[in-house]
Amino acid sequence: MKKLLIAFALVLPLIAFGQHKTSLGISVANEYCDSPDDTPYLSYGINIEHQFAKHWGIETGYQFCRLSYYSNLTATKYNSIPLGMKFYNKIVNISGGVNFNYLKEYQFPALVGGTLYVPNINWLGLHARISKDISLSNKLIFEPGAQLNYDSDTFGPTYGLSLRLKYSL
């Protein structure tokens, strides 16, 4: 976890250097995974993005994720730090990059106490997103989108819809 925080701290100065447009936001997503019961899960978090050229930018953030499957008998809670590039266009925005994921807990009711805490399980994932900026005011932007995530060692692909509310600094 310390390595992820150090990497995050090293990226922030790059975002602030050569300012063109920076925004902070909150996000929520409803995603589905490839499980037998196709149970949706919710993720939410904070985001920061910096547009350093007319069509290019970088985005990162911190996501809190909870995934339930097998008819809610198993639940996984993890945090994710996405880091990606974003292509801006008047019609649609396209972004993609890597996720640095950290497992918080794994719940399985058959276990004594129902929760298994597994420390220091980290994994990488990939993400892609297509979205559209809708200006609500001079500084406030609503960004609905569709996203796809692929985790290397855990759940396989997830897909879903996301909503972001951004404030331009």
Side-chain angles (χ1 to χ4, degrees), residues 74-130:
T74 306
T76 304
K77 293 180 182 176
Y78 65 96
N79 295 336
S80 181
I81 299 174
L83 177 62
M85 292 293 295
K86 188 169 188 175
F87 176 77
Y88 299 88
N89 190 315
K90 288 182 180 182
I91 299 170
V92 71
N93 301 327
I94 301 170
S95 61
V98 297
N99 295 331
F100 302 98
N101 301 307
Y102 177 77
L103 183 66
K104 285 176 51 181
E105 69 181 55
Y106 178 76
Q107 297 176 339
F108 188 70
L111 296 172
V112 175
T115 302
L116 172 65
Y117 292 93
V118 184
N120 298 324
I121 294 184
N122 303 309
W123 69 94
L124 289 175
L126 300 173
H127 69 269
R129 186 168 188 268
I130 187 167

Side-chain angles (χ1 to χ4, degrees), residues 122-140:
N122 303 309
W123 69 94
L124 289 175
L126 300 173
H127 69 269
R129 186 168 188 268
I130 187 167
S131 61
K132 173 69 177 163
D133 283 347
I134 301 169
S135 292
L136 301 177
S137 71
N138 192 25
K139 298 250 182 195
L140 199 58

Side-chain angles (χ1 to χ4, degrees), residues 15-167:
I15 294 172
F17 186 72
Q19 244 181 7
H20 184 271
K21 181 181 172 185
T22 302
S23 62
L24 295 172
I26 57 173
S27 65
V28 63
N30 189 20
E31 297 188 58
Y32 293 87
C33 67
D34 192 18
S35 69
D37 55 0
D38 204 25
T39 305
Y41 79 95
L42 184 68
S43 67
Y44 55 93
I46 56 174
N47 306 59
I48 183 170
E49 68 181 58
H50 176 71
Q51 186 176 352
F52 55 81
K54 182 178 180 180
H55 293 291
W56 292 101
I58 187 170
E59 61 182 355
T60 188
Y62 196 81
Q63 300 294 119
F64 305 93
C65 308
R66 184 178 190 281
L67 173 63
S68 298
Y69 48 96
Y70 298 115
S71 300
N72 290 324
L73 291 178
T74 306
T76 304
K77 293 180 182 176
Y78 65 96
N79 295 336
S80 181
I81 299 174
L83 177 62
M85 292 293 295
K86 188 169 188 175
F87 176 77
Y88 299 88
N89 190 315
K90 288 182 180 182
I91 299 170
V92 71
N93 301 327
I94 301 170
S95 61
V98 297
N99 295 331
F100 302 98
N101 301 307
Y102 177 77
L103 183 66
K104 285 176 51 181
E105 69 181 55
Y106 178 76
Q107 297 176 339
F108 188 70
L111 296 172
V112 175
T115 302
L116 172 65
Y117 292 93
V118 184
N120 298 324
I121 294 184
N122 303 309
W123 69 94
L124 289 175
L126 300 173
H127 69 269
R129 186 168 188 268
I130 187 167
S131 61
K132 173 69 177 163
D133 283 347
I134 301 169
S135 292
L136 301 177
S137 71
N138 192 25
K139 298 250 182 195
L140 199 58
I141 300 164
F142 177 63
E143 186 183 16
Q147 62 189 38
L148 174 68
N149 291 303
Y150 183 79
D151 292 321
S152 59
D153 294 331
T154 54
F155 318 115
T158 63
Y159 50 91
L161 301 175
S162 64
L163 303 173
R164 287 186 182 173
L165 189 60
K166 304 185 296 187
Y167 180 78

